[in-house]
Amino acid sequence: MLTVRYFAGARAASGVSTESVGASSLDDLVDQLTARHGERLAVVLKAASYLVDGLQCHDRAAALPAAATVDVLPPFAGG
């Protein structure tokens, strides 16, 4: 299971700050989170950056390590 941590607008859109999800890649994770939380979060996830165990991840199809922590970082105002 992955630990997903939401920040700023992602936290507001999901309604939680942290949750556990079983996913194999970021693409899979986004699909599951969208199904779980709906279109409001889906919009945020499309623009978000992702940290996997503290490292920025650009390859959304890459396999995620088991028990990784994924931080969902939406664009922040002013940057």
Side-chain angles (χ1 to χ4, degrees), residues 18-49:
T18 305
E19 66 182 319
S20 295
V21 180
S24 59
S25 67
L26 284 178
D27 283 336
D28 182 31
L29 178 64
V30 168
D31 289 345
Q32 289 189 46
L33 296 177
T34 297
R36 187 179 290 189
H37 296 287
E39 189 60 30
R40 184 172 175 214
L41 181 59
V43 170
V44 174
L45 295 175
K46 287 178 186 174
S49 296

Side-chain angles (χ1 to χ4, degrees), residues 1-4 19-23 29 32 36 64-70:
M1 291 296 270
L2 304 171
T3 299
V4 180
E19 66 182 319
S20 295
V21 180
L29 178 64
Q32 289 189 46
R36 187 179 290 189
L64 293 171
T69 297
V70 178

